[in-house]
Amino acid sequence: MFTLFIGSKNLSSWSLRPWLVLKMLDEPFEEQLIDLTAPGASQKILAINPAGKVPLLHDRHLKIWDSLAICEYLAECFPHAELWPVGNAERAHARSVVAEMHSGFPLVRQAMPMDICGQHPTPPLTTPLQREIDRILTIWTELRQEHVADGPFLFGHFTIADAFFAPVVTRFNSYQYPLTGLAADYADHMLALPAMQQWAEAAKAETALAC
């Protein structure tokens, strides 16, 4: 059985991604949560991962860290799930948007840090921040236009691309950024997923205990 080490569900956008993939695979796994706000959290993480970060996946004696590396590994373990699209062109497209999300959008991360349970005013929309938001919404809209007949996810069925944009969906919700059209439909669909609802409920429980 897999063991997935994750950070606080209210705060850890990186942890949500492989957790959501495992849930959508309907694969049993043991969850080990580290409270990122607790004293000694950094030492606890270093004790399991010398890179000093979560998430971390244990598969027997194998350790995989970094959310993208974990998701890639799961895609190889469960090829039938098509976590990457089957076609070469679509797979390359999916990898491109995932890589862009993995390494990009620093202003969105800074201005809208993940806070599942929070409700905040929309931050000041500077031109560079708006440019990043517009890029995200363009990705969503163009992919939904292309794959609308194939299902409700970015590439029709659930893929790693959806897992990587899931934290952004929560950010737009927490910071009350107004969405319209296909982007709004996509965000609503993601927030309504049972797995996303489960994550949000656990985040609420965390914040209640913190208070």
Side-chain angles (χ1 to χ4, degrees):
M1 180 185 292
F2 296 115
T3 300
L4 183 66
F5 293 83
I6 61 174
S8 306
K9 288 182 176 174
N10 192 50
L11 304 173
S12 184
S13 59
W14 299 103
S15 297
L16 170 56
R17 290 162 172 149
W19 184 94
L20 181 59
V21 168
L22 282 166
K23 285 291 182 179
M24 295 299 287
L25 285 169
D26 199 23
E27 276 298 312
F29 67 98
E30 180 183 353
E31 177 184 309
Q32 294 286 339
L33 187 141
I34 297 174
D35 183 355
L36 301 179
T37 66
S42 296
Q43 288 73 24
K44 288 181 180 179
I45 294 172
L46 282 168
I48 60 166
N49 182 10
K53 296 182 183 298
V54 286
L56 172 73
L57 182 71
H58 281 196
D59 184 6
R60 296 176 292 276
H61 300 297
L62 180 63
K63 296 181 181 180
I64 309 104
W65 62 95
D66 184 274
S67 58
L68 182 51
I70 295 170
C71 291
E72 287 274 16
Y73 179 71
L74 294 172
E76 292 174 352
C77 290
F78 304 99
H80 64 279
E82 300 180 5
L83 291 173
W84 291 121
V86 174
N88 288 346
E90 286 188 357
R91 187 164 63 250
H93 193 176
R95 282 195 160 110
S96 294
V97 297
V98 166
E100 185 176 357
M101 183 68 252
H102 190 253
S103 63
F105 307 107
L107 299 179
V108 171
R109 301 179 199 274
Q110 182 181 32
M112 303 178 183
M114 184 159 156
D115 183 4
I116 295 280
C117 300
Q119 282 292 293
H120 307 279
T122 306
L125 296 173
T126 64
T127 299
L129 175 59
Q130 187 66 65
R131 187 179 301 120
E132 288 191 2
I133 292 172
D134 289 344
R135 173 58 185 156
I136 292 169
L137 299 183
T138 296
I139 291 171
W140 292 0
T141 300
E142 289 181 348
L143 287 172
R144 291 305 305 128
Q145 286 173 337
E146 184 175 354
H147 299 285
V148 67
D150 304 319
F153 295 98
L154 292 177
F155 287 86
H157 69 281
F158 178 84
T159 67
I160 292 170
D162 300 293
F164 265 72
F165 281 104
V168 183
V169 171
T170 73
R171 284 178 160 104
F172 288 159
N173 183 61
S174 295
Y175 293 86
Q176 303 177 69
Y177 186 85
L179 300 176
T180 59
L182 292 173
D185 294 342
Y186 173 68
D188 289 344
H189 173 72
M190 289 296 293
L191 290 172
L193 288 176
M196 291 289 284
Q197 292 283 310
Q198 182 181 346
W199 180 278
E201 287 301 315
K204 291 176 185 176
E206 284 177 5
T207 55
L209 287 173
C211 299

mmCIF file of all heavy atoms in Angstrom, residues 40-76:
data_model
loop_
_atom_site.group_PDB
_atom_site.id
_atom_site.type_symbol
_atom_site.label_atom_id
_atom_site.label_comp_id
_atom_site.label_asym_id
_atom_site.label_seq_id
_atom_site.Cartn_x
_atom_site.Cartn_y
_atom_site.Cartn_z
ATOM 1 N N GLY A 40 8.375 22.646 15.106
ATOM 2 C CA GLY A 40 9.124 21.460 14.721
ATOM 3 C C GLY A 40 8.685 20.810 13.430
ATOM 4 O O GLY A 40 9.166 19.723 13.091
ATOM 5 N N ALA A 41 7.792 21.458 12.673
ATOM 6 C CA ALA A 41 7.309 20.859 11.425
ATOM 7 C C ALA A 41 8.449 20.633 10.438
ATOM 8 O O ALA A 41 8.524 19.582 9.787
ATOM 9 C CB ALA A 41 6.231 21.734 10.802
ATOM 10 N N SER A 42 9.352 21.590 10.331
ATOM 11 C CA SER A 42 10.464 21.449 9.382
ATOM 12 C C SER A 42 11.337 20.258 9.730
ATOM 13 O O SER A 42 11.780 19.511 8.846
ATOM 14 C CB SER A 42 11.307 22.730 9.372
ATOM 15 O OG SER A 42 10.549 23.818 8.895
ATOM 16 N N GLN A 43 11.573 20.056 11.027
ATOM 17 C CA GLN A 43 12.397 18.918 11.452
ATOM 18 C C GLN A 43 11.700 17.592 11.155
ATOM 19 O O GLN A 43 12.351 16.614 10.767
ATOM 20 C CB GLN A 43 12.699 19.036 12.955
ATOM 21 C CG GLN A 43 13.688 20.131 13.323
ATOM 22 C CD GLN A 43 13.099 21.538 13.202
ATOM 23 O OE1 GLN A 43 11.880 21.700 13.276
ATOM 24 N NE2 GLN A 43 13.957 22.526 13.010
ATOM 25 N N LYS A 44 10.377 17.557 11.333
ATOM 26 C CA LYS A 44 9.634 16.335 11.032
ATOM 27 C C LYS A 44 9.723 16.004 9.546
ATOM 28 O O LYS A 44 9.861 14.830 9.162
ATOM 29 C CB LYS A 44 8.168 16.496 11.442
ATOM 30 C CG LYS A 44 7.937 16.497 12.940
ATOM 31 C CD LYS A 44 6.449 16.631 13.259
ATOM 32 C CE LYS A 44 6.200 16.633 14.758
ATOM 33 N NZ LYS A 44 4.761 16.791 15.088
ATOM 34 N N ILE A 45 9.631 17.026 8.716
ATOM 35 C CA ILE A 45 9.711 16.791 7.276
ATOM 36 C C ILE A 45 11.113 16.333 6.885
ATOM 37 O O ILE A 45 11.288 15.389 6.108
ATOM 38 C CB ILE A 45 9.293 18.051 6.499
ATOM 39 C CG1 ILE A 45 7.802 18.361 6.745
ATOM 40 C CG2 ILE A 45 9.557 17.873 5.006
ATOM 41 C CD1 ILE A 45 7.351 19.684 6.191
ATOM 42 N N LEU A 46 12.141 16.987 7.446
ATOM 43 C CA LEU A 46 13.514 16.587 7.130
ATOM 44 C C LEU A 46 13.798 15.157 7.563
ATOM 45 O O LEU A 46 14.611 14.459 6.937
ATOM 46 C CB LEU A 46 14.501 17.538 7.806
ATOM 47 C CG LEU A 46 14.694 18.902 7.126
ATOM 48 C CD1 LEU A 46 15.458 19.844 8.041
ATOM 49 C CD2 LEU A 46 15.418 18.732 5.790
ATOM 50 N N ALA A 47 13.129 14.709 8.605
ATOM 51 C CA ALA A 47 13.348 13.343 9.092
ATOM 52 C C ALA A 47 12.861 12.295 8.092
ATOM 53 O O ALA A 47 13.367 11.165 8.078
ATOM 54 C CB ALA A 47 12.644 13.152 10.430
ATOM 55 N N ILE A 48 11.886 12.656 7.264
ATOM 56 C CA ILE A 48 11.371 11.695 6.283
ATOM 57 C C ILE A 48 11.860 11.993 4.870
ATOM 58 O O ILE A 48 11.861 11.111 4.012
ATOM 59 C CB ILE A 48 9.829 11.663 6.291
ATOM 60 C CG1 ILE A 48 9.241 13.042 5.944
ATOM 61 C CG2 ILE A 48 9.291 11.163 7.625
ATOM 62 C CD1 ILE A 48 7.779 13.041 5.607
ATOM 63 N N ASN A 49 12.280 13.244 4.624
ATOM 64 C CA ASN A 49 12.687 13.640 3.281
ATOM 65 C C ASN A 49 13.826 14.657 3.375
ATOM 66 O O ASN A 49 13.585 15.809 3.751
ATOM 67 C CB ASN A 49 11.499 14.248 2.525
ATOM 68 C CG ASN A 49 11.858 14.633 1.093
ATOM 69 O OD1 ASN A 49 12.927 14.279 0.592
ATOM 70 N ND2 ASN A 49 10.975 15.366 0.440
ATOM 71 N N PRO A 50 15.040 14.277 3.041
ATOM 72 C CA PRO A 50 16.168 15.208 3.125
ATOM 73 C C PRO A 50 15.996 16.464 2.275
ATOM 74 O O PRO A 50 16.658 17.474 2.527
ATOM 75 C CB PRO A 50 17.355 14.367 2.630
ATOM 76 C CG PRO A 50 16.956 12.965 2.860
ATOM 77 C CD PRO A 50 15.463 12.925 2.661
ATOM 78 N N ALA A 51 15.088 16.400 1.276
ATOM 79 C CA ALA A 51 14.805 17.601 0.480
ATOM 80 C C ALA A 51 14.026 18.633 1.276
ATOM 81 O O ALA A 51 13.909 19.788 0.863
ATOM 82 C CB ALA A 51 14.028 17.224 -0.784
ATOM 83 N N GLY A 52 13.450 18.213 2.410
ATOM 84 C CA GLY A 52 12.773 19.149 3.308
ATOM 85 C C GLY A 52 11.409 19.592 2.851
ATOM 86 O O GLY A 52 10.959 20.672 3.246
ATOM 87 N N LYS A 53 10.747 18.767 2.049
ATOM 88 C CA LYS A 53 9.446 19.178 1.520
ATOM 89 C C LYS A 53 8.468 18.015 1.540
ATOM 90 O O LYS A 53 8.849 16.849 1.516
ATOM 91 C CB LYS A 53 9.590 19.715 0.083
ATOM 92 C CG LYS A 53 10.423 20.992 -0.032
ATOM 93 C CD LYS A 53 10.464 21.479 -1.455
ATOM 94 C CE LYS A 53 11.347 22.721 -1.588
ATOM 95 N NZ LYS A 53 10.843 23.854 -0.800
ATOM 96 N N VAL A 54 7.189 18.342 1.588
ATOM 97 C CA VAL A 54 6.108 17.416 1.305
ATOM 98 C C VAL A 54 5.382 17.953 0.077
ATOM 99 O O VAL A 54 5.444 19.150 -0.193
ATOM 100 C CB VAL A 54 5.128 17.287 2.507
ATOM 101 C CG1 VAL A 54 5.759 16.479 3.620
ATOM 102 C CG2 VAL A 54 4.662 18.642 3.024
ATOM 103 N N PRO A 55 4.739 17.062 -0.696
ATOM 104 C CA PRO A 55 4.417 15.668 -0.417
ATOM 105 C C PRO A 55 5.587 14.728 -0.662
ATOM 106 O O PRO A 55 6.549 15.055 -1.360
ATOM 107 C CB PRO A 55 3.275 15.384 -1.390
ATOM 108 C CG PRO A 55 3.598 16.259 -2.565
ATOM 109 C CD PRO A 55 4.145 17.526 -1.972
ATOM 110 N N LEU A 56 5.437 13.529 -0.082
ATOM 111 C CA LEU A 56 6.387 12.439 -0.264
ATOM 112 C C LEU A 56 5.579 11.155 -0.342
ATOM 113 O O LEU A 56 4.712 10.925 0.504
ATOM 114 C CB LEU A 56 7.365 12.374 0.907
ATOM 115 C CG LEU A 56 8.308 11.172 0.959
ATOM 116 C CD1 LEU A 56 9.389 11.301 -0.109
ATOM 117 C CD2 LEU A 56 8.938 11.044 2.342
ATOM 118 N N LEU A 57 5.848 10.339 -1.354
ATOM 119 C CA LEU A 57 5.141 9.075 -1.512
ATOM 120 C C LEU A 57 6.083 7.919 -1.207
ATOM 121 O O LEU A 57 7.209 7.871 -1.733
ATOM 122 C CB LEU A 57 4.611 8.931 -2.942
ATOM 123 C CG LEU A 57 3.801 7.667 -3.233
ATOM 124 C CD1 LEU A 57 2.441 7.716 -2.545
ATOM 125 C CD2 LEU A 57 3.633 7.460 -4.743
ATOM 126 N N HIS A 58 5.638 7.020 -0.335
ATOM 127 C CA HIS A 58 6.333 5.756 -0.091
ATOM 128 C C HIS A 58 5.598 4.646 -0.824
ATOM 129 O O HIS A 58 4.390 4.484 -0.653
ATOM 130 C CB HIS A 58 6.349 5.420 1.400
ATOM 131 C CG HIS A 58 7.386 6.162 2.176
ATOM 132 N ND1 HIS A 58 7.774 5.779 3.449
ATOM 133 C CD2 HIS A 58 8.131 7.250 1.863
ATOM 134 C CE1 HIS A 58 8.698 6.623 3.895
ATOM 135 N NE2 HIS A 58 8.919 7.522 2.963
ATOM 136 N N ASP A 59 6.324 3.898 -1.632
ATOM 137 C CA ASP A 59 5.804 2.686 -2.241
ATOM 138 C C ASP A 59 6.765 1.565 -1.849
ATOM 139 O O ASP A 59 7.811 1.390 -2.478
ATOM 140 C CB ASP A 59 5.711 2.826 -3.762
ATOM 141 C CG ASP A 59 5.085 1.606 -4.423
ATOM 142 O OD1 ASP A 59 4.624 0.705 -3.692
ATOM 143 O OD2 ASP A 59 5.052 1.553 -5.669
ATOM 144 N N ARG A 60 6.421 0.895 -0.768
ATOM 145 C CA ARG A 60 7.317 -0.085 -0.155
ATOM 146 C C ARG A 60 8.636 0.593 0.205
ATOM 147 O O ARG A 60 8.638 1.487 1.027
ATOM 148 C CB ARG A 60 7.485 -1.306 -1.062
ATOM 149 C CG ARG A 60 6.171 -2.090 -1.265
ATOM 150 C CD ARG A 60 6.338 -3.232 -2.224
ATOM 151 N NE ARG A 60 6.579 -2.779 -3.583
ATOM 152 C CZ ARG A 60 5.614 -2.431 -4.421
ATOM 153 N NH1 ARG A 60 4.347 -2.512 -4.062
ATOM 154 N NH2 ARG A 60 5.904 -2.023 -5.635
ATOM 155 N N HIS A 61 9.752 0.218 -0.441
ATOM 156 C CA HIS A 61 11.042 0.808 -0.088
ATOM 157 C C HIS A 61 11.395 2.022 -0.943
ATOM 158 O O HIS A 61 12.447 2.624 -0.755
ATOM 159 C CB HIS A 61 12.155 -0.239 -0.207
ATOM 160 C CG HIS A 61 11.954 -1.430 0.677
ATOM 161 N ND1 HIS A 61 11.926 -1.334 2.054
ATOM 162 C CD2 HIS A 61 11.742 -2.737 0.385
ATOM 163 C CE1 HIS A 61 11.724 -2.529 2.571
ATOM 164 N NE2 HIS A 61 11.594 -3.399 1.585
ATOM 165 N N LEU A 62 10.528 2.351 -1.862
ATOM 166 C CA LEU A 62 10.789 3.460 -2.776
ATOM 167 C C LEU A 62 10.195 4.746 -2.230
ATOM 168 O O LEU A 62 9.060 4.767 -1.752
ATOM 169 C CB LEU A 62 10.192 3.156 -4.148
ATOM 170 C CG LEU A 62 10.361 4.213 -5.237
ATOM 171 C CD1 LEU A 62 11.840 4.411 -5.561
ATOM 172 C CD2 LEU A 62 9.591 3.806 -6.492
ATOM 173 N N LYS A 63 10.963 5.844 -2.310
ATOM 174 C CA LYS A 63 10.482 7.159 -1.900
ATOM 175 C C LYS A 63 10.494 8.077 -3.113
ATOM 176 O O LYS A 63 11.506 8.170 -3.816
ATOM 177 C CB LYS A 63 11.367 7.758 -0.804
ATOM 178 C CG LYS A 63 11.369 6.981 0.498
ATOM 179 C CD LYS A 63 12.263 7.668 1.525
ATOM 180 C CE LYS A 63 12.288 6.892 2.837
ATOM 181 N NZ LYS A 63 13.163 7.569 3.850
ATOM 182 N N ILE A 64 9.374 8.723 -3.353
ATOM 183 C CA ILE A 64 9.263 9.674 -4.463
ATOM 184 C C ILE A 64 8.812 11.002 -3.889
ATOM 185 O O ILE A 64 7.814 11.061 -3.171
ATOM 186 C CB ILE A 64 8.264 9.205 -5.541
ATOM 187 C CG1 ILE A 64 8.569 7.775 -5.980
ATOM 188 C CG2 ILE A 64 8.301 10.136 -6.744
ATOM 189 C CD1 ILE A 64 7.632 6.758 -5.406
ATOM 190 N N TRP A 65 9.539 12.062 -4.171
ATOM 191 C CA TRP A 65 9.133 13.382 -3.697
ATOM 192 C C TRP A 65 8.947 14.323 -4.890
ATOM 193 O O TRP A 65 9.305 13.986 -6.015
ATOM 194 C CB TRP A 65 10.165 13.936 -2.706
ATOM 195 C CG TRP A 65 11.550 14.143 -3.248
ATOM 196 C CD1 TRP A 65 12.085 15.305 -3.748
ATOM 197 C CD2 TRP A 65 12.581 13.153 -3.345
ATOM 198 N NE1 TRP A 65 13.380 15.106 -4.152
ATOM 199 C CE2 TRP A 65 13.712 13.792 -3.921
ATOM 200 C CE3 TRP A 65 12.665 11.801 -3.021
ATOM 201 C CZ2 TRP A 65 14.915 13.116 -4.163
ATOM 202 C CZ3 TRP A 65 13.854 11.133 -3.258
ATOM 203 C CH2 TRP A 65 14.947 11.785 -3.815
ATOM 204 N N ASP A 66 8.376 15.444 -4.605
ATOM 205 C CA ASP A 66 7.934 16.446 -5.581
ATOM 206 C C ASP A 66 6.611 15.990 -6.194
ATOM 207 O O ASP A 66 6.477 14.846 -6.664
ATOM 208 C CB ASP A 66 8.961 16.699 -6.683
ATOM 209 C CG ASP A 66 8.513 17.821 -7.618
ATOM 210 O OD1 ASP A 66 7.760 17.537 -8.579
ATOM 211 O OD2 ASP A 66 8.864 18.981 -7.365
ATOM 212 N N SER A 67 5.645 16.888 -6.188
ATOM 213 C CA SER A 67 4.289 16.527 -6.611
ATOM 214 C C SER A 67 4.243 16.036 -8.054
ATOM 215 O O SER A 67 3.499 15.093 -8.369
ATOM 216 C CB SER A 67 3.346 17.717 -6.433
ATOM 217 O OG SER A 67 3.806 18.829 -7.179
ATOM 218 N N LEU A 68 5.030 16.635 -8.936
ATOM 219 C CA LEU A 68 5.004 16.199 -10.329
ATOM 220 C C LEU A 68 5.639 14.819 -10.480
ATOM 221 O O LEU A 68 5.108 13.962 -11.195
ATOM 222 C CB LEU A 68 5.712 17.215 -11.222
ATOM 223 C CG LEU A 68 5.720 16.907 -12.719
ATOM 224 C CD1 LEU A 68 4.334 16.606 -13.245
ATOM 225 C CD2 LEU A 68 6.356 18.065 -13.490
ATOM 226 N N ALA A 69 6.749 14.577 -9.801
ATOM 227 C CA ALA A 69 7.387 13.264 -9.873
ATOM 228 C C ALA A 69 6.453 12.175 -9.337
ATOM 229 O O ALA A 69 6.377 11.076 -9.901
ATOM 230 C CB ALA A 69 8.692 13.271 -9.090
ATOM 231 N N ILE A 70 5.737 12.484 -8.262
ATOM 232 C CA ILE A 70 4.785 11.510 -7.705
ATOM 233 C C ILE A 70 3.684 11.209 -8.710
ATOM 234 O O ILE A 70 3.328 10.042 -8.950
ATOM 235 C CB ILE A 70 4.199 12.025 -6.381
ATOM 236 C CG1 ILE A 70 5.288 12.134 -5.307
ATOM 237 C CG2 ILE A 70 3.062 11.109 -5.908
ATOM 238 C CD1 ILE A 70 4.841 12.858 -4.059
ATOM 239 N N CYS A 71 3.130 12.252 -9.305
ATOM 240 C CA CYS A 71 2.045 12.041 -10.270
ATOM 241 C C CYS A 71 2.532 11.281 -11.505
ATOM 242 O O CYS A 71 1.814 10.429 -12.047
ATOM 243 C CB CYS A 71 1.426 13.376 -10.660
ATOM 244 S SG CYS A 71 0.498 14.178 -9.323
ATOM 245 N N GLU A 72 3.743 11.573 -11.950
ATOM 246 C CA GLU A 72 4.322 10.823 -13.066
ATOM 247 C C GLU A 72 4.449 9.342 -12.710
ATOM 248 O O GLU A 72 4.148 8.460 -13.525
ATOM 249 C CB GLU A 72 5.687 11.399 -13.433
ATOM 250 C CG GLU A 72 5.653 12.735 -14.158
ATOM 251 C CD GLU A 72 5.485 12.568 -15.662
ATOM 252 O OE1 GLU A 72 5.100 11.471 -16.115
ATOM 253 O OE2 GLU A 72 5.740 13.538 -16.387
ATOM 254 N N TYR A 73 4.894 9.061 -11.496
ATOM 255 C CA TYR A 73 5.054 7.683 -11.052
ATOM 256 C C TYR A 73 3.702 6.968 -11.031
ATOM 257 O O TYR A 73 3.578 5.821 -11.487
ATOM 258 C CB TYR A 73 5.699 7.652 -9.676
ATOM 259 C CG TYR A 73 5.895 6.269 -9.105
ATOM 260 C CD1 TYR A 73 6.847 5.413 -9.639
ATOM 261 C CD2 TYR A 73 5.120 5.812 -8.044
ATOM 262 C CE1 TYR A 73 7.031 4.136 -9.124
ATOM 263 C CE2 TYR A 73 5.290 4.540 -7.517
ATOM 264 C CZ TYR A 73 6.249 3.703 -8.067
ATOM 265 O OH TYR A 73 6.430 2.438 -7.563
ATOM 266 N N LEU A 74 2.691 7.654 -10.515
ATOM 267 C CA LEU A 74 1.355 7.053 -10.468
ATOM 268 C C LEU A 74 0.810 6.812 -11.868
ATOM 269 O O LEU A 74 0.123 5.809 -12.113
ATOM 270 C CB LEU A 74 0.412 7.939 -9.655
ATOM 271 C CG LEU A 74 0.747 8.056 -8.165
ATOM 272 C CD1 LEU A 74 -0.134 9.098 -7.494
ATOM 273 C CD2 LEU A 74 0.596 6.695 -7.466
ATOM 274 N N ALA A 75 1.119 7.703 -12.795
ATOM 275 C CA ALA A 75 0.681 7.496 -14.178
ATOM 276 C C ALA A 75 1.313 6.241 -14.761
ATOM 277 O O ALA A 75 0.672 5.505 -15.532
ATOM 278 C CB ALA A 75 1.034 8.709 -15.027
ATOM 279 N N GLU A 76 2.554 5.958 -14.382
ATOM 280 C CA GLU A 76 3.221 4.759 -14.868
ATOM 281 C C GLU A 76 2.679 3.507 -14.177
ATOM 282 O O GLU A 76 2.588 2.439 -14.797
ATOM 283 C CB GLU A 76 4.728 4.877 -14.643
ATOM 284 C CG GLU A 76 5.389 5.953 -15.502
ATOM 285 C CD GLU A 76 6.846 6.157 -15.158
ATOM 286 O OE1 GLU A 76 7.310 5.575 -14.142
ATOM 287 O OE2 GLU A 76 7.524 6.897 -15.891
#
